[in-house]
Amino acid sequence: MYPLKIIGLGPGHPDYILPIALKEIEAAEVILCGTRHAESFDASGKEMLFIGKGTPLSELMDKVAQVYQNRKTALVVSGDCGFYSLLTYAKKVVPEKDIVCIPGISSLQYFFAKLAISWEDAKLISLHGRDQDLAAALAENKKLGILTDKNNNTAFIAGILQSAGCENSMLYVGEELSYPNEKITRLTVAEALSYQEEGLAVVVVINE
């Protein structure tokens, strides 16, 4: 009998995948992941279950729950497996005692490092497909790390800052982090109101 491995792939670039993660991916027989994740490792000879290709995630996870004990199975996820990832979902279909997590570098951890800003005192939240009380988080914290989506983006965050009277705050926007076309932009609230990302981004707010 095998455990279910949940493996953090890091921010994206292969240089930031931990060696143990690559070792566990190589050993896996069945892998559930996003299509972009599979670009970072050798998937030959493995049964691949892809998120976002038409099959509902619930069906994919049901299959994982059926096979993991008899076949080496892994969920390969972006960043770290314990930060807004599939770990919570996996615990609903697989007993917690059967789950082994392999950590990775989260996009926010990577971004704070690139900015040379400590993050032990930062509030970390996700607006990626989630509703959060961003105004309250901004009011209560001087430093925030935020995962965004196409609607809850940099301009949206700047609008909340402006409404809250935090017009002296600074926003740092990280796009395509760790990839060759990585882009990091420092913006005032006024500048951020009209900023348009080229894709998904993470944002760090220094709230004055």
Side-chain angles (χ1 to χ4, degrees):
M1 292 177 60
Y2 299 111
L4 172 65
K5 302 287 182 72
I6 305 181
I7 303 170
L9 200 61
H13 194 282
D15 285 354
Y16 289 92
I17 303 174
L18 296 181
I20 190 172
L22 289 173
K23 180 180 176 181
E24 294 290 355
I25 289 170
E26 183 178 355
E29 299 171 274
V30 180
I31 291 179
L32 184 152
C33 67
T35 52
R36 187 171 186 179
H37 299 148
E39 298 172 4
S40 299
F41 57 85
D42 182 6
S44 58
K46 305 181 186 301
E47 181 178 354
M48 301 297 297
L49 307 175
F50 287 114
I51 299 169
K53 276 201 166 184
T55 303
L57 179 59
S58 58
E59 290 185 21
L60 295 172
M61 291 298 292
D62 285 344
K63 179 163 186 178
V64 165
Q66 293 166 11
V67 304
Y68 78 91
Q69 290 181 315
N70 299 311
R71 300 174 68 192
K72 295 178 181 178
T73 304
L75 310 184
V76 176
V77 299
S78 299
D80 179 66
C81 50
F83 187 67
Y84 293 103
S85 192
L86 283 176
L87 176 57
T88 302
Y89 195 143
K91 287 182 177 181
K92 296 178 181 178
V93 296
V94 173
E96 185 173 344
K97 66 180 179 61
D98 291 349
I99 294 174
V100 173
C101 293
I102 308 298
I105 299 170
S106 74
S107 58
L108 281 173
Q109 181 183 1
Y110 173 93
F111 194 29
F112 275 110
K114 290 289 288 191
L115 296 173
I117 295 174
S118 60
W119 56 290
E120 70 269 10
D121 56 342
K123 172 73 172 179
L124 307 180
I125 65 175
S126 175
L127 299 179
H128 186 77
R130 292 176 169 85
D131 292 324
Q132 302 266 15
D133 191 346
L134 181 58
L138 291 167
E140 297 167 4
N141 300 275
K142 291 184 177 295
K143 188 185 298 181
L144 291 92
I146 307 169
L147 303 181
T148 71
D149 63 23
K150 64 181 181 180
N151 295 315
N152 299 316
N153 55 15
T154 302
F156 171 80
I157 294 167
I160 299 293
L161 281 164
Q162 186 182 56
S163 298
C166 301
E167 295 180 350
N168 293 325
S169 299
M170 296 303 303
L171 295 89
Y172 297 86
V173 184
E175 302 170 65
E176 296 294 326
L177 291 178
S178 81
Y179 289 102
N181 56 334
E182 174 180 280
K183 180 181 178 182
I184 295 175
T185 309
R186 182 178 184 268
L187 301 166
T188 64
V189 172
E191 291 168 337
L193 286 168
S194 59
Y195 188 79
Q196 293 186 340
E197 303 92 338
E198 295 180 6
L200 293 181
V202 298
V203 174
V204 165
V205 176
I206 305 301
N207 190 12
E208 300 295 343

